[in-house]
Amino acid sequence: MQRRVAARPLCGRATFLNLFTHEVSLPVPDQPSSRSVLADWFRGHAAPLNTLDPHQPVDDLEPLREIVGSARVVAVGEGAHFVEEFSRARQRVLRFLAERCGFTVLALEFGFSEAFRLEPWLEGEGDDAGLAKVSATAADWGAADLMHWLRRHNRTSGHPFRFAGIDVPEAGGQLRPALDPVADYLREVDPDALHLLDTVLEISDRFLEGSGSGAAAAPAWARLDPTEQNALTAALARLLLRLRGAEPLYVRRSSQHRFDIARRRVEAACHTDYLFHAMDALLSGRGSGADLSVREVYMAESVRWHLDRAAPGTRMVLVSHNAHIQKTPATFGGPLTALPMGHHLQRMLGEDYRSVAVTHTTDHVPEMYPEESAEVGFTLADAQLEPAEFGSVEAALIDAGLGDGITLTDLRRSPRDAHGVPLLNRMRSQSSSLSAPIPEAFDAVLAVPTVTRDRTVRF
């Protein structure tokens, strides 16, 4: 028997899911027996959790210790952006990993460059109400609760996290957060290279003014004359090559650490420039398979960048969307959308990488809808969901009678059919559905019964 399944590709925090729909035929196993097998398995393996309150004891999260093992990087996801319950669940997991397992670095789906300015505030500098002054992005884009929790945790718990950003600037919506600090650096070490940066900023300022996301930036980039698009790419490429070629000179005039940061910032701008083209092609239906991987590989390499500069034995928690942390290629039932960050990290780190998805069992979720006239390129509204599909984590939990509780489940030994194919082959992703061998994409899943739009979101 075959079923027609609709799926939408996911593009990340500052874009949206509702872009286009692909139809794909998926083999469906014998439903009655497989459905019963999955429900019975979850009844026997899902660990109930007591609360989402991040201030309550975390003893109920002890099953996570075996899942994490000795991994150096543990990723904790979310099935949708801007959900309050997901943020609270992750705060509890962060506490457990810091207090019980010795994790000391929190890497977030947040701009690599922007994080350096935010880190002192998270370590206790300034006043508690000063987040918006330090980072409007963190304050307005649904990260405020996590940031305030992290600041309190670092000041009071005895198990502080060092904060690390891994993403391109404004999730692909700007260049200046990465390049303005580079301009300051070049004035000190190589004023002769400033003309390349001036060319980049002159062009980018003409189309990125007011842009807050890749969803808004890509259509604006598309309205540029092709000669300006090419000039932007060429100037960035020359700037990066200049830095690479003159590295010994730059290091003598500053330090290796400062040079490394400057280079990574320019690399972020180069990846973002490519992302403008990739997002525009996707939005207009001309996208090439795996084109959005340019952002994913930048984030994966940023994780490695921070690890390489950390003390031996440092352990990192990585917080990002499920679609970024999954180990398998992202298809959403149609053509290859991206090779996610988690796929790259699995290749880099092997068993030193673990991924924990976070999902929900209710019938609605906040969703991002394309709207070119909106400042951020989309609007945010509640989406009603179809009943959870057979073969999904959510349907299995509901069938097991666990849909109304909070659970943590180790997926690595979940049931397979006679051919070794996992029976779990779907998981909700925003208002769509990820099609993948779920136990190969994620090591575990934390599920909550409700979702509430994050009240701190300012758009």
Side-chain angles (χ1 to χ4, degrees):
M1 182 172 67
Q2 302 286 317
R3 175 181 292 169
R4 304 293 287 179
V5 179
R8 302 179 182 91
L10 182 140
C11 303
R13 175 175 68 83
T15 57
F16 41 82
L17 284 163
N18 294 51
L19 301 175
F20 52 82
T21 297
H22 295 290
E23 295 287 328
V24 62
S25 295
L26 294 175
V28 179
D30 180 50
Q31 289 197 29
S33 61
S34 296
R35 194 155 201 148
S36 176
V37 167
L38 282 173
D40 289 344
W41 186 86
F42 269 92
R43 287 189 198 100
H45 291 82
L49 302 182
N50 298 331
T51 180
L52 291 178
D53 186 343
H55 305 293
Q56 294 300 311
V58 293
D59 295 337
D60 56 329
L61 283 167
E62 274 297 326
L64 187 58
R65 188 187 299 272
E66 182 181 355
I67 297 166
V68 167
S70 60
R72 194 175 182 196
V73 177
V74 173
V76 184
E78 60 181 357
H81 292 307
F82 315 120
V83 172
E84 184 173 321
E85 287 86 346
F86 292 165
S87 178
R88 289 164 62 81
R90 294 194 298 191
Q91 289 167 28
R92 293 197 77 227
V93 170
L94 285 169
R95 267 193 61 205
F96 179 85
L97 293 176
E99 296 173 7
R100 306 287 177 93
C101 302
F103 283 74
T104 57
V105 177
L106 169 60
L108 188 65
E109 185 186 326
F110 190 85
F112 172 88
S113 184
E114 298 95 302
F116 288 101
R117 186 177 178 208
L118 180 56
E119 187 174 9
W121 184 84
L122 293 172
E123 292 176 349
E125 289 188 11
D127 61 72
D128 290 347
L131 177 60
K133 296 178 182 177
V134 178
S135 174
T137 298
D140 297 342
W141 277 79
D145 277 353
L146 178 61
M147 295 297 102
H148 283 288
W149 173 85
L150 183 59
R151 177 177 165 91
R152 289 193 299 271
H153 170 85
N154 285 345
R155 292 168 61 186
T156 63
S157 73
H159 302 274
F161 279 108
R162 186 176 70 78
F163 183 66
I166 61 168
D167 207 352
V168 294
E170 301 289 341
Q174 283 286 343
L175 293 181
R176 275 196 175 273
L179 293 181
D180 281 344
V182 175
D184 294 336
Y185 180 71
L186 290 177
R187 290 187 188 98
E188 177 182 340
V189 301
D190 187 12
D192 290 342
L194 277 168
H195 72 282
L196 294 170
L197 191 55
D198 290 342
T199 298
V200 171
L201 295 177
E202 179 186 351
I203 297 171
S204 66
D205 284 349
R206 287 204 290 274
F207 75 94
L208 289 178
E209 183 178 4
S211 170
S213 76
W221 173 89
R223 290 190 289 269
L224 282 179
D225 187 279
T227 58
E228 288 195 300
Q229 295 173 355
N230 292 335
L232 177 65
T233 300
L236 280 169
R238 289 170 182 149
L239 179 60
L240 179 58
L241 290 171
R242 170 73 179 179
L243 262 69
R244 292 182 62 188
E247 177 177 352
L249 175 65
Y250 285 28
V251 170
R252 283 199 300 271
R253 293 176 177 176
S254 58
S255 68
Q256 186 68 54
H257 183 63
R258 290 183 63 201
F259 170 83
D260 290 346
I261 294 174
R263 173 174 168 171
R264 193 73 190 134
R265 282 169 161 154
V266 175
E267 289 170 345
C270 291
H271 283 71
T272 304
D273 175 57
Y274 186 94
L275 196 59
F276 295 148
H277 167 79
M279 277 297 302
D280 174 62
L282 178 66
L283 292 169
S284 58
R286 298 177 287 103
S288 301
D291 227 14
L292 297 179
S293 303
V294 66
R295 180 183 174 204
E296 305 294 328
V297 74
Y298 182 84
M299 290 195 290
E301 289 173 347
S302 294
V303 169
R304 183 167 59 185
W305 190 96
H306 286 293
L307 285 176
D308 287 347
R309 288 157 181 79
T314 295
R315 306 183 80 186
M316 173 188 290
V317 188
L318 171 59
V319 170
S320 188
H321 197 287
N322 289 348
H324 293 310
I325 70 170
Q326 73 183 69
K327 300 178 183 181
T328 55
T331 63
F332 290 86
L336 178 63
T337 303
L339 298 173
M341 168 178 59
H343 186 66
H344 293 288
L345 289 174
Q346 175 75 2
R347 294 181 70 240
M348 291 178 191
L349 301 174
E351 290 299 307
D352 262 342
Y353 177 67
R354 295 281 191 276
S355 60
V356 180
V358 179
T359 190
H360 68 94
T361 53
T362 194
D363 62 355
H364 63 96
V365 73
E367 182 56 286
M368 298 168 281
Y369 293 96
E371 179 54 65
E372 191 170 332
S373 63
E375 181 179 347
V376 295
F378 61 86
T379 58
L380 186 63
D382 215 39
Q384 283 298 126
L385 304 177
E386 296 294 328
E389 297 177 277
F390 167 69
S392 69
V393 169
E394 297 81 11
L397 285 165
I398 292 169
D399 289 346
L402 300 170
D404 294 330
I406 311 166
T407 57
L408 174 67
T409 309
D410 186 338
L411 296 174
R412 293 172 294 179
R413 298 176 185 87
S414 60
R416 296 174 180 258
D417 66 16
H419 304 288
V421 177
L423 296 183
L424 289 171
N425 54 36
R426 286 174 176 78
M427 184 181 292
R428 283 175 172 168
S429 188
Q430 298 286 147
S431 61
S432 186
S433 180
L434 165 70
S435 298
I438 297 302
E440 297 171 14
F442 304 101
D443 296 286
V445 60
L446 191 159
V448 300
T450 60
V451 294
T452 306
R453 175 173 165 167
D454 190 322
R455 66 189 181 282
T456 66
V457 176
R458 304 301 183 198
F459 54 85

